[in-house]
Amino acid sequence: MSGGPKRIFISDIHMGDSRGFQGTNPYGWFGKNVTALEAFLKKVPLDKDVKEMIILGDFFDRWVVPAHMSPVNSVESIFEANRPVIDALNDLTAKGIGLTYVPGNHDMCMSASEVGSMTKSLQQAFPRIEYLCDGSLTGKYEKDSLTAEHGHRYCLFNAPDYDTWADKGSCLPLGYFISRFVASKWYDQGEKEDVLGILKKFVHGIERGEDFIYNLVKSIAHDCGLEMTDQVNMDGVKDFYETLDIETIAQRYGKLTKNWERRRENTMNVDWFTAACEDGDGDLRPAIDEIYFASLRPVRKIVIFGHTHQWTPPYQSLHYSGGIPSHANPHEPYKAIYVNSGTWVDSSGLCTYVETQEDQGYPRHYVRVKEYPTGRILSEGFVETT
């Protein structure tokens, strides 16, 4: 192929504050890979074809804090604890590479009133950043036939929830509290398990009845060594109680599935159990099929998500091949491509990212999932852009 401009998509870094790597059982998700990410960011400008880097959410993490500890109420403390990464990103933009940031769930604002202060904090840390946060406290990157977002808005436990804490003006989803429980398990027991893993353990085993959410919360809390009377420290979270017991949390989210069904037009007809399984199984393809690929003439030919912590090879909806998997031939174009950018958390087997490149010689747009530090292409596909 002839050379053309490239974009780099990276997600799920989960930078926390310094507390996450102190004590006997560190609970932070991103510490060992700080040097790897810093080195990667320094290498990006060496490829003169790279014109833009897009961070697809969960860049920093305000959720992974043990239940008894005070929440992370200052993103500045996270940036200070991860200074090498912040400096490397600013150096990248100083060399002419655009930097765009789309929020995920672990780094989203906790209420609409927080957007202004969050934007100010980001702009102070990254003077050249473009922050794409829309009115729903999520966001999308859209250019030509390409769209990219974090992916959590289609997931039951992690999409912004405007119903449960409406009286507090908060959009905190249940996933926030599950993350606090899991961090407690790491801190108290030294047993490392991520939120998606614990959801997968329980989602399919609980009866889908009236008490589905209550029983799920109770099961997860018990697995993490917590009692329903235990308190979650919410000190400093705007307009919230200073503490919340787990019983109250379970009861408040009891109508989550009904609220989801009531708002299905906002989730493009993804039903609540599919949305629950997408979190638990780490597979967002049902939402992709429903939202982006249902049309035989897709507006967006390339779709990139993060959130699942699992990179995926290029996927083409079965809508486009009569229900039969296609593309055994890598030289044939996809009608539309979905890929997932994976993660950089310490427990990941691979640090992965997505590279897209427009071919100047042919009307093609390539999509590659790549590994760091080898730069090896794990999977690749392309669409025709005419």
Side-chain angles (χ1 to χ4, degrees), residues 15-286:
M15 297 187 305
D17 64 9
S18 59
R19 296 178 299 173
F21 291 92
Q22 298 171 354
T24 304
N25 297 322
Y27 58 84
W29 289 3
F30 178 74
K32 296 177 182 177
N33 286 343
V34 169
T35 54
L37 181 58
E38 180 188 6
F40 169 71
L41 294 174
K42 288 181 177 179
K43 282 188 175 182
V44 167
L46 301 179
D47 185 341
K48 300 304 180 184
D49 288 333
V50 175
K51 305 302 180 186
E52 188 173 5
M53 170 168 282
I54 300 94
I55 302 173
L56 291 181
D58 288 1
F59 173 43
F60 54 91
D61 198 315
R62 301 174 67 189
W63 287 18
V64 178
V65 178
H68 72 279
M69 289 187 179
S70 59
V72 177
N73 292 313
S74 165
V75 295
E76 285 80 7
S77 66
I78 294 177
F79 296 155
E80 190 57 40
N82 296 272
R83 182 54 54 187
V85 173
I86 307 306
D87 291 344
L89 280 168
N90 280 324
D91 185 57
L92 184 149
T93 60
K95 293 177 179 176
I97 295 175
L99 178 63
T100 301
Y101 172 40
V102 176
N105 50 307
H106 280 244
D107 54 5
M108 74 180 184
C109 296
M110 295 184 180
S111 68
S113 65
E114 196 182 26
V115 174
S117 60
M118 178 69 76
T119 302
K120 183 178 179 180
S121 294
L122 286 169
Q123 290 175 340
Q124 287 177 340
F126 307 100
R128 300 177 182 88
I129 200 168
E130 182 179 10
Y131 179 41
L132 300 180
C133 181
D134 60 27
S136 65
L137 303 185
T138 56
K140 287 184 182 181
Y141 173 93
E142 294 179 309
K143 294 285 178 71
D144 305 319
S145 61
L146 184 152
T147 190
E149 56 179 305
H150 186 63
H152 64 295
R153 79 168 87 204
Y154 313 111
C155 298
L156 182 69
F157 306 110
N158 289 298
D161 181 350
Y162 298 96
D163 297 304
T164 299
W165 303 105
D167 58 321
K168 300 297 178 186
S170 172
C171 62
L172 276 182
L174 179 56
Y176 170 81
F177 293 98
I178 295 175
S179 296
R180 301 288 302 269
F181 301 166
V182 173
S184 293
K185 184 176 183 178
W186 283 41
Y187 182 86
D188 294 333
Q189 304 174 27
E191 187 174 344
K192 296 189 175 183
E193 182 172 27
D194 67 23
V195 174
L196 299 179
I198 207 165
L199 284 171
K200 186 172 185 178
K201 184 189 299 184
F202 290 107
V203 163
H204 295 285
I206 293 177
E207 185 177 346
R208 292 184 235 171
E210 185 79 18
D211 295 326
F212 174 80
I213 294 297
Y214 181 91
N215 291 333
L216 180 74
V217 172
K218 185 175 181 179
S219 297
I220 291 174
H222 183 265
D223 183 82
C224 294
L226 299 169
E227 302 294 334
M228 298 299 280
T229 54
D230 285 340
Q231 304 288 314
V232 177
N233 187 329
M234 298 294 288
D235 186 33
V237 179
K238 186 177 180 182
D239 296 328
F240 252 84
Y241 311 99
E242 187 172 328
T243 61
L244 282 170
D245 61 74
I246 297 175
E247 176 71 27
T248 297
I249 293 166
Q251 290 182 2
R252 288 291 292 256
Y253 284 98
K255 295 182 179 179
L256 177 60
T257 58
K258 289 183 178 180
N259 289 336
W260 183 275
E261 290 300 303
R262 180 175 54 80
R263 294 185 285 108
R264 276 192 49 181
E265 69 276 7
N266 297 333
T267 55
M268 302 298 288
N269 212 32
V270 177
D271 68 88
W272 77 260
F273 193 68
T274 297
C277 292
E278 286 180 330
D279 261 336
D281 297 337
D283 185 1
L284 293 170
R285 289 178 297 179

